[in-house]
Every structure is written in C-alpha cells, then in structure tokens.
Amino acid sequence: MIHPTAVIYDGAKVASSAEIGPYCVIGSNVEIKDGVILKSHVCVDGYTVIDEGTTVFPFASLGLVPQDLKYSGEKSTVYIGKNNTIREYVTIHPGTEQGGMKTEIGDNCLLMIGVHVAHDCKIGNNVIMANNVTLAGHVNVADFAIIGGMSAVHQFVRIGAHSIIGGGSIVVEDVIPFGNVVGERAGLAGLNIVGMKRRNFDRETIKQLQIAFKRLFVDNDNTFESRVNDVEENFGNNEKVKEIVQFLKADSSRSICMPKIRDES
C-alpha cells in the first residue's frame, strides 16, 4: 500500500491499511492511521496525526512550520480527525506557544482546493471550506459552518456553528451561530435558514431563532447588551437561541459581526 517512490522517514507511524501514493514525503514524527489515503505528492511533517479514513489529494502540505515570526521551533502539533477530504494545495500549519500549541481539524470536513489553515486554528466537525478560503491564526470554526470560496478570516475570529459565509467575504468580526454573512467587508445578512432546513431543524426552532435574531439585530429600542439579556430571559428554553446568547456573552478579542447600515442616498 506504499508506493516505492514515497519517502517515509524513520520514526513515522503508518498503519498497515493506509495508502501512501507516489512521491509522498512523511516526516519522522508523523502518525498516519488506518484507512488514510495520501493520493500522491503529499508532504506531511512535524508532529502531525492524520486520523482514520481521511483522504488527502496531491500537493497538500500538512504540519510544516507556521508562517509566524514568533515561532521558535517548539514541538507544537497538528491533529486532523476522521473521514476528512483534503483537496489539492491545502496547507495546514501547527500551533505555537502563544496559541495553545495545537492546530486541530475535526471529523467529516471538506477542505477544497487551496484552503489555508494557519497556526492554532480549531475547526469543528462537518465543516466545509470552499476553494481558496484563508484562515489566519487562532481562528475557531464551529460544527457545520460553511465558508464560501475566496473568503478570508482575520486572526482570532470565531465562526459559529451552522453559520454560512458568502464567497469572497472578508471576515474581521465574530459570526454568530446560524448566521448568514456576506460582503467584501462582511456583514450579518440574516440567518442560515437554508442550512437549518437541510439539517432538519423543526419549524418552531427556526421561528424562535428568527424572532430572537430580529430582537437582537433589527430592533434598536435599547442597548445591545440589554437586548441580549432580554433574549436570554425570554427564549432561555430554546437550546439553539441559548447557543447564540452564550456565543455573544463569551470572551473574545473580536467584535461581533453586525448588519451593515445601508446608504439610502
């Protein structure tokens, strides 16, 4: 299952059921688990683990030193979970001492051509990143988020669960769970209703989320903090609304992505 042109350094752990294609290079501290497929010309280095069933396409570069001038050779890691699809020219860099020492990809994710995941990023399960998405360092992307092609996400930004970011967006602020974000300088355009329907959210849950969204981001009869507290008090029994409230109340170095004010002139 290992092509004769592949280079596997002493110390690397490669499961017997893994498939290592032509001209792949695997460093001495890498672990490749059962059912992993490296198609060809894949470079995996550093303290990197690729878990079961993940497929990596040609010219991906995983685990090489991060593009961070503060990095000084610390033994930081990359963990790539189960059943992911990592397409051509994807780059994933390990963590740094300033960010927890670990970059992590969950399970069942699709990273399309040219995706870049920088140091200390945390990617959840079932995440889709389309072609040429770029994540700066320390970005957190929660489960089921979708990031459209050619989008760029600023360092330390949080992308909430079940949110969607339109193609070509520049995201410099935190995106709420279930949010729909678009724009060259991305603004909150509503909720990801289509995504919720595809994942079989019941009608009442979606309705409650819509009411809560209107109260939080459309009504302007009070301060934002007061509106958050009001939604927490009145929709506290809805787990999905509670998820948004908890996201808004969590500590973050970034502001919250809000609806953009339209110029009516």
Side-chain angles (χ1 to χ4, degrees):
M1 308 296 279
I2 299 176
H3 195 274
T5 62
V7 177
I8 301 176
Y9 283 85
D10 291 343
K13 299 177 181 178
V14 179
S16 59
S17 63
E19 298 180 26
I20 312 300
Y23 301 102
C24 291
V25 179
I26 299 175
S28 58
N29 297 302
V30 171
E31 182 176 1
I32 307 292
K33 294 194 176 183
D34 287 324
V36 169
I37 300 173
L38 308 186
K39 292 286 191 181
S40 74
H41 299 84
V42 174
C43 183
V44 189
D45 204 1
Y47 294 85
T48 299
V49 175
I50 304 180
D51 215 332
E52 298 172 6
T54 286
T55 299
V56 186
F57 282 73
F59 306 107
S61 174
L62 313 176
L64 279 78
V65 297
Q67 300 172 125
D68 185 342
L69 295 176
K70 298 186 296 298
Y71 179 75
S72 57
E74 55 263 35
K75 294 181 179 180
S76 55
T77 64
V78 170
Y79 172 76
I80 298 170
K82 298 178 181 179
N83 303 314
N84 293 293
T85 299
I86 298 174
R87 295 303 306 254
E88 298 84 349
Y89 299 100
V90 166
T91 54
I92 302 174
H93 290 167
T96 64
E97 189 173 357
Q98 291 76 29
M101 298 285 286
K102 187 175 185 179
T103 300
E104 187 171 1
I105 312 291
D107 301 335
N108 305 306
C109 297
L110 170 59
L111 279 60
M112 298 187 193
I113 292 171
V115 166
H116 173 62
V117 179
H119 58 90
D120 303 293
C121 286
K122 298 290 186 291
I123 312 301
N125 302 319
N126 301 289
V127 169
I128 297 173
M129 288 186 274
N131 296 340
N132 298 305
V133 165
T134 299
L135 304 184
H138 312 275
V139 169
N140 283 296
V141 182
D143 297 350
F144 291 100
I146 299 174
I147 305 178
M150 306 297 291
S151 295
V153 183
H154 195 282
Q155 61 186 6
F156 294 101
V157 162
R158 299 175 299 150
I159 307 296
H162 297 277
S163 61
I164 186 167
I165 295 171
S169 297
I170 307 298
V171 184
V172 299
E173 298 165 310
D174 291 345
V175 176
I176 62 168
F178 316 103
N180 175 15
V181 165
V182 295
E184 180 182 348
R185 277 295 185 267
L188 186 61
L191 293 174
N192 183 16
I193 302 297
V194 172
M196 287 188 278
K197 288 181 177 179
R198 287 175 176 171
R199 293 172 198 128
N200 299 314
F201 280 47
D202 64 82
R203 183 176 298 180
E204 183 59 27
T205 295
I206 294 174
K207 181 180 178 181
Q208 292 295 305
L209 283 166
Q210 289 175 309
I211 295 171
F213 179 89
K214 181 177 183 296
R215 178 68 184 125
L216 288 167
F217 297 105
V218 179
D219 297 343
N220 290 305
D221 57 351
N222 213 329
T223 66
F224 185 67
E225 182 179 2
S226 296
R227 299 199 301 272
V228 171
N229 291 332
D230 177 66
V231 167
E232 182 177 34
E233 182 179 344
N234 288 282
F235 297 89
N237 292 328
N238 186 304
E239 290 299 322
K240 303 304 182 185
V241 175
K242 188 185 298 183
E243 190 172 336
I244 295 177
V245 170
Q246 291 171 344
F247 184 93
L248 293 172
K249 287 194 165 189
D251 290 335
S252 176
S253 62
R254 310 301 302 176
S255 57
I256 297 295
C257 187
M258 304 288 281
K260 299 300 182 185
I261 299 174
R262 296 180 180 178
D263 184 357
E264 301 295 344
S265 59

